[in-house]
mmCIF file of all heavy atoms in Angstrom:
data_model
loop_
_atom_site.group_PDB
_atom_site.id
_atom_site.type_symbol
_atom_site.label_atom_id
_atom_site.label_comp_id
_atom_site.label_asym_id
_atom_site.label_seq_id
_atom_site.Cartn_x
_atom_site.Cartn_y
_atom_site.Cartn_z
ATOM 1 N N ALA A 1564 25.585 0.574 -13.675
ATOM 2 C CA ALA A 1564 26.497 0.787 -12.554
ATOM 3 C C ALA A 1564 26.319 -0.309 -11.510
ATOM 4 O O ALA A 1564 25.189 -0.707 -11.205
ATOM 5 C CB ALA A 1564 26.249 2.150 -11.922
ATOM 6 N N VAL A 1565 27.448 -0.776 -10.973
ATOM 7 C CA VAL A 1565 27.438 -1.731 -9.856
ATOM 8 C C VAL A 1565 28.289 -1.113 -8.753
ATOM 9 O O VAL A 1565 29.481 -0.871 -8.939
ATOM 10 C CB VAL A 1565 27.998 -3.101 -10.259
ATOM 11 C CG1 VAL A 1565 27.921 -4.066 -9.081
ATOM 12 C CG2 VAL A 1565 27.240 -3.661 -11.459
ATOM 13 N N ILE A 1566 27.672 -0.872 -7.599
ATOM 14 C CA ILE A 1566 28.319 -0.143 -6.506
ATOM 15 C C ILE A 1566 28.528 -1.087 -5.323
ATOM 16 O O ILE A 1566 27.585 -1.741 -4.869
ATOM 17 C CB ILE A 1566 27.462 1.064 -6.070
ATOM 18 C CG1 ILE A 1566 27.224 2.005 -7.261
ATOM 19 C CG2 ILE A 1566 28.123 1.808 -4.917
ATOM 20 C CD1 ILE A 1566 26.248 3.128 -6.967
ATOM 21 N N ALA A 1567 29.774 -1.129 -4.835
ATOM 22 C CA ALA A 1567 30.104 -1.936 -3.659
ATOM 23 C C ALA A 1567 30.760 -1.045 -2.612
ATOM 24 O O ALA A 1567 31.276 0.029 -2.923
ATOM 25 C CB ALA A 1567 31.041 -3.081 -4.042
ATOM 26 N N GLY A 1568 30.746 -1.490 -1.364
ATOM 27 C CA GLY A 1568 31.405 -0.755 -0.301
ATOM 28 C C GLY A 1568 30.666 0.476 0.164
ATOM 29 O O GLY A 1568 31.255 1.366 0.793
ATOM 30 N N LEU A 1569 29.372 0.546 -0.121
ATOM 31 C CA LEU A 1569 28.562 1.699 0.277
ATOM 32 C C LEU A 1569 27.865 1.394 1.604
ATOM 33 O O LEU A 1569 27.406 0.276 1.836
ATOM 34 C CB LEU A 1569 27.522 1.982 -0.808
ATOM 35 C CG LEU A 1569 26.719 3.281 -0.716
ATOM 36 C CD1 LEU A 1569 27.622 4.493 -0.903
ATOM 37 C CD2 LEU A 1569 25.611 3.282 -1.792
ATOM 38 N N ASP A 1570 27.785 2.379 2.466
ATOM 39 C CA ASP A 1570 27.025 2.212 3.697
ATOM 40 C C ASP A 1570 25.552 2.007 3.348
ATOM 41 O O ASP A 1570 24.998 2.722 2.506
ATOM 42 C CB ASP A 1570 27.198 3.443 4.588
ATOM 43 C CG ASP A 1570 26.457 3.270 5.914
ATOM 44 O OD1 ASP A 1570 27.048 2.690 6.838
ATOM 45 O OD2 ASP A 1570 25.293 3.723 6.004
ATOM 46 N N HIS A 1571 24.917 1.046 4.019
ATOM 47 C CA HIS A 1571 23.534 0.732 3.652
ATOM 48 C C HIS A 1571 22.572 1.882 3.924
ATOM 49 O O HIS A 1571 21.497 1.962 3.338
ATOM 50 C CB HIS A 1571 23.059 -0.528 4.387
ATOM 51 C CG HIS A 1571 21.834 -1.137 3.777
ATOM 52 N ND1 HIS A 1571 20.564 -0.843 4.202
ATOM 53 C CD2 HIS A 1571 21.691 -2.007 2.755
ATOM 54 C CE1 HIS A 1571 19.690 -1.515 3.489
ATOM 55 N NE2 HIS A 1571 20.338 -2.240 2.599
ATOM 56 N N GLY A 1572 22.954 2.796 4.795
ATOM 57 C CA GLY A 1572 22.098 3.942 5.075
ATOM 58 C C GLY A 1572 22.300 5.103 4.132
ATOM 59 O O GLY A 1572 21.570 6.102 4.200
ATOM 60 N N HIS A 1573 23.258 4.998 3.210
ATOM 61 C CA HIS A 1573 23.523 6.081 2.248
ATOM 62 C C HIS A 1573 22.303 6.298 1.358
ATOM 63 O O HIS A 1573 21.579 5.357 1.021
ATOM 64 C CB HIS A 1573 24.751 5.714 1.409
ATOM 65 C CG HIS A 1573 25.278 6.838 0.573
ATOM 66 N ND1 HIS A 1573 24.728 7.190 -0.634
ATOM 67 C CD2 HIS A 1573 26.326 7.686 0.769
ATOM 68 C CE1 HIS A 1573 25.413 8.209 -1.160
ATOM 69 N NE2 HIS A 1573 26.381 8.526 -0.321
ATOM 70 N N SER A 1574 22.070 7.525 0.943
ATOM 71 C CA SER A 1574 20.883 7.843 0.135
ATOM 72 C C SER A 1574 20.840 7.047 -1.161
ATOM 73 O O SER A 1574 19.749 6.674 -1.634
ATOM 74 C CB SER A 1574 20.833 9.344 -0.159
ATOM 75 O OG SER A 1574 21.973 9.749 -0.902
ATOM 76 N N THR A 1575 21.988 6.774 -1.765
ATOM 77 C CA THR A 1575 22.005 5.996 -3.005
ATOM 78 C C THR A 1575 21.499 4.577 -2.775
ATOM 79 O O THR A 1575 20.922 3.954 -3.669
ATOM 80 C CB THR A 1575 23.429 5.969 -3.599
ATOM 81 O OG1 THR A 1575 23.849 7.313 -3.862
ATOM 82 C CG2 THR A 1575 23.491 5.162 -4.886
ATOM 83 N N ALA A 1576 21.691 4.066 -1.552
ATOM 84 C CA ALA A 1576 21.214 2.728 -1.210
ATOM 85 C C ALA A 1576 19.791 2.728 -0.690
ATOM 86 O O ALA A 1576 19.177 1.659 -0.578
ATOM 87 C CB ALA A 1576 22.133 2.093 -0.170
ATOM 88 N N GLN A 1577 19.250 3.894 -0.397
ATOM 89 C CA GLN A 1577 17.927 3.976 0.214
ATOM 90 C C GLN A 1577 16.865 4.598 -0.684
ATOM 91 O O GLN A 1577 15.681 4.265 -0.556
ATOM 92 C CB GLN A 1577 18.006 4.758 1.527
ATOM 93 C CG GLN A 1577 18.686 4.003 2.658
ATOM 94 C CD GLN A 1577 17.884 2.789 3.103
ATOM 95 O OE1 GLN A 1577 16.672 2.843 3.247
ATOM 96 N NE2 GLN A 1577 18.580 1.669 3.302
ATOM 97 N N GLU A 1578 17.250 5.499 -1.568
ATOM 98 C CA GLU A 1578 16.278 6.197 -2.403
ATOM 99 C C GLU A 1578 16.063 5.469 -3.729
ATOM 100 O O GLU A 1578 16.993 4.870 -4.290
ATOM 101 C CB GLU A 1578 16.745 7.633 -2.686
ATOM 102 C CG GLU A 1578 16.858 8.489 -1.442
ATOM 103 C CD GLU A 1578 15.545 8.594 -0.692
ATOM 104 O OE1 GLU A 1578 14.494 8.763 -1.342
ATOM 105 O OE2 GLU A 1578 15.559 8.488 0.554
ATOM 106 N N GLU A 1579 14.845 5.530 -4.241
ATOM 107 C CA GLU A 1579 14.572 4.938 -5.550
ATOM 108 C C GLU A 1579 15.281 5.763 -6.621
ATOM 109 O O GLU A 1579 15.059 6.969 -6.740
ATOM 110 C CB GLU A 1579 13.072 4.890 -5.831
ATOM 111 C CG GLU A 1579 12.750 4.217 -7.155
ATOM 112 C CD GLU A 1579 11.261 4.096 -7.412
ATOM 113 O OE1 GLU A 1579 10.551 5.088 -7.175
ATOM 114 O OE2 GLU A 1579 10.817 3.021 -7.837
ATOM 115 N N ILE A 1580 16.115 5.117 -7.413
ATOM 116 C CA ILE A 1580 16.890 5.808 -8.451
ATOM 117 C C ILE A 1580 16.226 5.676 -9.810
ATOM 118 O O ILE A 1580 16.280 6.574 -10.639
ATOM 119 C CB ILE A 1580 18.333 5.254 -8.478
ATOM 120 C CG1 ILE A 1580 19.019 5.550 -7.139
ATOM 121 C CG2 ILE A 1580 19.128 5.844 -9.633
ATOM 122 C CD1 ILE A 1580 20.400 4.956 -7.008
ATOM 123 N N PHE A 1581 15.584 4.561 -10.070
ATOM 124 C CA PHE A 1581 14.883 4.310 -11.332
ATOM 125 C C PHE A 1581 15.846 4.341 -12.514
ATOM 126 O O PHE A 1581 15.579 4.943 -13.554
ATOM 127 C CB PHE A 1581 13.746 5.322 -11.523
ATOM 128 C CG PHE A 1581 12.450 4.671 -11.947
ATOM 129 C CD1 PHE A 1581 11.827 3.762 -11.111
ATOM 130 C CD2 PHE A 1581 11.851 4.963 -13.155
ATOM 131 C CE1 PHE A 1581 10.638 3.147 -11.481
ATOM 132 C CE2 PHE A 1581 10.658 4.360 -13.545
ATOM 133 C CZ PHE A 1581 10.057 3.450 -12.702
ATOM 134 N N GLY A 1582 16.976 3.705 -12.322
ATOM 135 C CA GLY A 1582 17.975 3.579 -13.369
ATOM 136 C C GLY A 1582 18.782 2.321 -13.147
ATOM 137 O O GLY A 1582 18.610 1.610 -12.146
ATOM 138 N N PRO A 1583 19.720 2.010 -14.052
ATOM 139 C CA PRO A 1583 20.486 0.759 -13.971
ATOM 140 C C PRO A 1583 21.616 0.847 -12.953
ATOM 141 O O PRO A 1583 22.798 0.771 -13.295
ATOM 142 C CB PRO A 1583 21.013 0.599 -15.399
ATOM 143 C CG PRO A 1583 21.201 2.012 -15.874
ATOM 144 C CD PRO A 1583 20.072 2.795 -15.256
ATOM 145 N N VAL A 1584 21.259 1.016 -11.687
ATOM 146 C CA VAL A 1584 22.222 1.230 -10.613
ATOM 147 C C VAL A 1584 21.984 0.186 -9.521
ATOM 148 O O VAL A 1584 20.934 0.183 -8.875
ATOM 149 C CB VAL A 1584 22.110 2.650 -10.029
ATOM 150 C CG1 VAL A 1584 23.116 2.843 -8.898
ATOM 151 C CG2 VAL A 1584 22.303 3.707 -11.114
ATOM 152 N N LEU A 1585 22.978 -0.684 -9.326
ATOM 153 C CA LEU A 1585 22.867 -1.764 -8.352
ATOM 154 C C LEU A 1585 23.807 -1.509 -7.182
ATOM 155 O O LEU A 1585 24.994 -1.253 -7.372
ATOM 156 C CB LEU A 1585 23.223 -3.098 -9.007
ATOM 157 C CG LEU A 1585 23.231 -4.326 -8.099
ATOM 158 C CD1 LEU A 1585 21.826 -4.612 -7.567
ATOM 159 C CD2 LEU A 1585 23.792 -5.541 -8.828
ATOM 160 N N CYS A 1586 23.286 -1.585 -5.964
ATOM 161 C CA CYS A 1586 24.098 -1.488 -4.752
ATOM 162 C C CYS A 1586 24.230 -2.885 -4.162
ATOM 163 O O CYS A 1586 23.227 -3.546 -3.890
ATOM 164 C CB CYS A 1586 23.450 -0.542 -3.738
ATOM 165 S SG CYS A 1586 23.346 1.165 -4.301
ATOM 166 N N ALA A 1587 25.495 -3.335 -3.974
ATOM 167 C CA ALA A 1587 25.758 -4.701 -3.512
ATOM 168 C C ALA A 1587 26.247 -4.705 -2.066
ATOM 169 O O ALA A 1587 27.080 -3.877 -1.675
ATOM 170 C CB ALA A 1587 26.792 -5.360 -4.410
ATOM 171 N N PHE A 1588 25.737 -5.673 -1.282
ATOM 172 C CA PHE A 1588 26.102 -5.819 0.126
ATOM 173 C C PHE A 1588 26.267 -7.303 0.434
ATOM 174 O O PHE A 1588 25.667 -8.155 -0.221
ATOM 175 C CB PHE A 1588 25.020 -5.229 1.037
ATOM 176 C CG PHE A 1588 24.664 -3.804 0.726
ATOM 177 C CD1 PHE A 1588 23.634 -3.506 -0.165
ATOM 178 C CD2 PHE A 1588 25.369 -2.762 1.296
ATOM 179 C CE1 PHE A 1588 23.312 -2.196 -0.467
ATOM 180 C CE2 PHE A 1588 25.053 -1.450 1.001
ATOM 181 C CZ PHE A 1588 24.021 -1.158 0.122
ATOM 182 N N SER A 1589 27.048 -7.590 1.460
ATOM 183 C CA SER A 1589 27.193 -8.979 1.893
ATOM 184 C C SER A 1589 26.519 -9.152 3.253
ATOM 185 O O SER A 1589 26.294 -8.185 3.976
ATOM 186 C CB SER A 1589 28.672 -9.368 1.996
ATOM 187 O OG SER A 1589 29.312 -8.650 3.034
ATOM 188 N N PHE A 1590 26.220 -10.413 3.590
ATOM 189 C CA PHE A 1590 25.657 -10.716 4.904
ATOM 190 C C PHE A 1590 26.221 -12.043 5.383
ATOM 191 O O PHE A 1590 26.651 -12.894 4.582
ATOM 192 C CB PHE A 1590 24.132 -10.741 4.878
ATOM 193 C CG PHE A 1590 23.528 -11.803 3.986
ATOM 194 C CD1 PHE A 1590 23.291 -13.090 4.468
ATOM 195 C CD2 PHE A 1590 23.179 -11.514 2.673
ATOM 196 C CE1 PHE A 1590 22.738 -14.063 3.657
ATOM 197 C CE2 PHE A 1590 22.619 -12.486 1.852
ATOM 198 C CZ PHE A 1590 22.389 -13.758 2.341
ATOM 199 N N ALA A 1591 26.223 -12.223 6.699
ATOM 200 C CA ALA A 1591 26.813 -13.422 7.292
ATOM 201 C C ALA A 1591 25.798 -14.523 7.536
ATOM 202 O O ALA A 1591 26.137 -15.710 7.522
ATOM 203 C CB ALA A 1591 27.507 -13.057 8.603
ATOM 204 N N ASN A 1592 24.529 -14.145 7.778
ATOM 205 C CA ASN A 1592 23.505 -15.148 8.067
ATOM 206 C C ASN A 1592 22.137 -14.611 7.664
ATOM 207 O O ASN A 1592 21.983 -13.430 7.336
ATOM 208 C CB ASN A 1592 23.516 -15.536 9.546
ATOM 209 C CG ASN A 1592 23.396 -14.334 10.463
ATOM 210 O OD1 ASN A 1592 22.400 -13.612 10.423
ATOM 211 N ND2 ASN A 1592 24.419 -14.101 11.284
ATOM 212 N N ASP A 1593 21.150 -15.476 7.707
ATOM 213 C CA ASP A 1593 19.814 -15.103 7.237
ATOM 214 C C ASP A 1593 19.183 -14.008 8.085
ATOM 215 O O ASP A 1593 18.456 -13.148 7.562
ATOM 216 C CB ASP A 1593 18.909 -16.327 7.200
ATOM 217 C CG ASP A 1593 19.316 -17.328 6.125
ATOM 218 O OD1 ASP A 1593 19.932 -16.898 5.127
ATOM 219 O OD2 ASP A 1593 19.017 -18.525 6.288
ATOM 220 N N ASP A 1594 19.419 -14.021 9.372
ATOM 221 C CA ASP A 1594 18.863 -12.964 10.232
ATOM 222 C C ASP A 1594 19.354 -11.594 9.782
ATOM 223 O O ASP A 1594 18.577 -10.623 9.709
ATOM 224 C CB ASP A 1594 19.260 -13.195 11.694
ATOM 225 C CG ASP A 1594 18.514 -14.364 12.324
ATOM 226 O OD1 ASP A 1594 17.447 -14.738 11.796
ATOM 227 O OD2 ASP A 1594 19.017 -14.906 13.331
ATOM 228 N N GLU A 1595 20.652 -11.499 9.498
ATOM 229 C CA GLU A 1595 21.206 -10.223 9.044
ATOM 230 C C GLU A 1595 20.630 -9.835 7.690
ATOM 231 O O GLU A 1595 20.297 -8.670 7.448
ATOM 232 C CB GLU A 1595 22.730 -10.312 8.958
ATOM 233 C CG GLU A 1595 23.387 -8.998 8.535
ATOM 234 C CD GLU A 1595 24.887 -9.118 8.347
ATOM 235 O OE1 GLU A 1595 25.431 -10.242 8.459
ATOM 236 O OE2 GLU A 1595 25.530 -8.073 8.078
ATOM 237 N N ALA A 1596 20.486 -10.805 6.792
ATOM 238 C CA ALA A 1596 19.948 -10.515 5.460
ATOM 239 C C ALA A 1596 18.523 -9.983 5.538
ATOM 240 O O ALA A 1596 18.158 -9.008 4.855
ATOM 241 C CB ALA A 1596 19.987 -11.774 4.596
ATOM 242 N N ILE A 1597 17.700 -10.607 6.369
ATOM 243 C CA ILE A 1597 16.304 -10.169 6.505
ATOM 244 C C ILE A 1597 16.244 -8.759 7.082
ATOM 245 O O ILE A 1597 15.465 -7.911 6.627
ATOM 246 C CB ILE A 1597 15.519 -11.178 7.361
ATOM 247 C CG1 ILE A 1597 15.340 -12.488 6.587
ATOM 248 C CG2 ILE A 1597 14.169 -10.604 7.774
ATOM 249 C CD1 ILE A 1597 14.845 -13.644 7.431
ATOM 250 N N ALA A 1598 17.090 -8.485 8.073
ATOM 251 C CA ALA A 1598 17.102 -7.151 8.667
ATOM 252 C C ALA A 1598 17.521 -6.102 7.641
ATOM 253 O O ALA A 1598 16.902 -5.025 7.545
ATOM 254 C CB ALA A 1598 18.051 -7.117 9.860
ATOM 255 N N LEU A 1599 18.553 -6.398 6.842
ATOM 256 C CA LEU A 1599 18.991 -5.456 5.800
ATOM 257 C C LEU A 1599 17.920 -5.286 4.723
ATOM 258 O O LEU A 1599 17.658 -4.168 4.260
ATOM 259 C CB LEU A 1599 20.292 -5.943 5.162
ATOM 260 C CG LEU A 1599 21.581 -5.754 5.954
ATOM 261 C CD1 LEU A 1599 22.733 -6.462 5.266
ATOM 262 C CD2 LEU A 1599 21.890 -4.266 6.122
ATOM 263 N N ALA A 1600 17.318 -6.394 4.322
ATOM 264 C CA ALA A 1600 16.293 -6.327 3.272
ATOM 265 C C ALA A 1600 15.136 -5.431 3.688
ATOM 266 O O ALA A 1600 14.597 -4.674 2.874
ATOM 267 C CB ALA A 1600 15.785 -7.731 2.952
ATOM 268 N N ASN A 1601 14.753 -5.496 4.951
ATOM 269 C CA ASN A 1601 13.606 -4.718 5.434
ATOM 270 C C ASN A 1601 13.987 -3.317 5.892
ATOM 271 O O ASN A 1601 13.113 -2.547 6.306
ATOM 272 C CB ASN A 1601 12.924 -5.463 6.579
ATOM 273 C CG ASN A 1601 12.226 -6.731 6.116
ATOM 274 O OD1 ASN A 1601 11.867 -6.859 4.948
ATOM 275 N ND2 ASN A 1601 12.050 -7.681 7.030
ATOM 276 N N GLN A 1602 15.268 -2.980 5.801
ATOM 277 C CA GLN A 1602 15.729 -1.660 6.228
ATOM 278 C C GLN A 1602 15.500 -0.645 5.106
ATOM 279 O O GLN A 1602 16.411 -0.139 4.472
ATOM 280 C CB GLN A 1602 17.214 -1.710 6.597
ATOM 281 C CG GLN A 1602 17.759 -0.444 7.242
ATOM 282 C CD GLN A 1602 19.249 -0.559 7.526
ATOM 283 O OE1 GLN A 1602 19.709 -1.595 7.972
ATOM 284 N NE2 GLN A 1602 19.995 0.498 7.246
ATOM 285 N N THR A 1603 14.241 -0.354 4.847
ATOM 286 C CA THR A 1603 13.844 0.559 3.784
ATOM 287 C C THR A 1603 12.431 1.048 4.065
ATOM 288 O O THR A 1603 11.644 0.346 4.716
ATOM 289 C CB THR A 1603 13.890 -0.130 2.406
ATOM 290 O OG1 THR A 1603 13.317 0.727 1.404
ATOM 291 C CG2 THR A 1603 13.114 -1.437 2.410
ATOM 292 N N ARG A 1604 12.126 2.244 3.573
ATOM 293 C CA ARG A 1604 10.758 2.751 3.731
ATOM 294 C C ARG A 1604 9.819 2.169 2.681
ATOM 295 O O ARG A 1604 8.607 2.372 2.739
ATOM 296 C CB ARG A 1604 10.754 4.279 3.662
ATOM 297 C CG ARG A 1604 11.180 4.876 2.342
ATOM 298 C CD ARG A 1604 11.412 6.379 2.462
ATOM 299 N NE ARG A 1604 11.904 6.998 1.240
ATOM 300 C CZ ARG A 1604 11.155 7.667 0.371
ATOM 301 N NH1 ARG A 1604 9.845 7.795 0.592
ATOM 302 N NH2 ARG A 1604 11.672 8.207 -0.707
ATOM 303 N N PHE A 1605 10.386 1.440 1.710
ATOM 304 C CA PHE A 1605 9.575 0.876 0.633
ATOM 305 C C PHE A 1605 9.251 -0.582 0.907
ATOM 306 O O PHE A 1605 9.896 -1.233 1.729
ATOM 307 C CB PHE A 1605 10.317 0.985 -0.700
ATOM 308 C CG PHE A 1605 10.592 2.400 -1.135
ATOM 309 C CD1 PHE A 1605 11.885 2.909 -1.119
ATOM 310 C CD2 PHE A 1605 9.563 3.220 -1.562
ATOM 311 C CE1 PHE A 1605 12.149 4.207 -1.515
ATOM 312 C CE2 PHE A 1605 9.808 4.520 -1.963
ATOM 313 C CZ PHE A 1605 11.108 5.025 -1.940
ATOM 314 N N GLY A 1606 8.255 -1.100 0.187
ATOM 315 C CA GLY A 1606 7.895 -2.501 0.351
ATOM 316 C C GLY A 1606 7.105 -3.020 -0.838
ATOM 317 O O GLY A 1606 6.034 -3.590 -0.668
ATOM 318 N N LEU A 1607 7.641 -2.796 -2.053
ATOM 319 C CA LEU A 1607 6.904 -3.216 -3.243
ATOM 320 C C LEU A 1607 7.236 -4.649 -3.634
ATOM 321 O O LEU A 1607 6.352 -5.494 -3.749
ATOM 322 C CB LEU A 1607 7.205 -2.271 -4.405
ATOM 323 C CG LEU A 1607 6.313 -2.419 -5.639
ATOM 324 C CD1 LEU A 1607 4.841 -2.272 -5.279
ATOM 325 C CD2 LEU A 1607 6.700 -1.398 -6.708
ATOM 326 N N GLY A 1608 8.519 -4.935 -3.847
ATOM 327 C CA GLY A 1608 8.911 -6.281 -4.244
ATOM 328 C C GLY A 1608 10.178 -6.712 -3.537
ATOM 329 O O GLY A 1608 10.917 -5.893 -2.969
ATOM 330 N N ALA A 1609 10.445 -8.012 -3.559
ATOM 331 C CA ALA A 1609 11.677 -8.584 -3.013
ATOM 332 C C ALA A 1609 11.825 -9.971 -3.613
ATOM 333 O O ALA A 1609 10.843 -10.591 -4.031
ATOM 334 C CB ALA A 1609 11.632 -8.672 -1.479
ATOM 335 N N SER A 1610 13.071 -10.448 -3.652
ATOM 336 C CA SER A 1610 13.277 -11.824 -4.130
ATOM 337 C C SER A 1610 14.316 -12.518 -3.285
ATOM 338 O O SER A 1610 15.208 -11.882 -2.707
ATOM 339 C CB SER A 1610 13.695 -11.843 -5.605
ATOM 340 O OG SER A 1610 14.963 -11.241 -5.802
ATOM 341 N N VAL A 1611 14.186 -13.836 -3.221
ATOM 342 C CA VAL A 1611 15.156 -14.667 -2.514
ATOM 343 C C VAL A 1611 15.564 -15.798 -3.455
ATOM 344 O O VAL A 1611 14.730 -16.385 -4.145
ATOM 345 C CB VAL A 1611 14.577 -15.219 -1.192
ATOM 346 C CG1 VAL A 1611 13.295 -15.995 -1.415
ATOM 347 C CG2 VAL A 1611 15.612 -16.098 -0.491
#
Side-chain angles (χ1 to χ4, degrees):
V1565 182
I1566 302 173
L1569 190 66
D1570 182 86
H1571 197 267
H1573 191 279
S1574 61
T1575 301
Q1577 288 294 317
E1578 297 301 318
E1579 183 177 45
I1580 297 175
F1581 227 63
V1584 179
L1585 177 65
C1586 296
F1588 306 91
S1589 67
F1590 62 87
N1592 54 61
D1593 292 334
D1594 287 339
E1595 182 184 4
I1597 290 168
L1599 284 172
N1601 291 336
Q1602 188 182 318
T1603 172
R1604 64 191 176 100
F1605 297 109
L1607 191 56
S1610 65
V1611 56

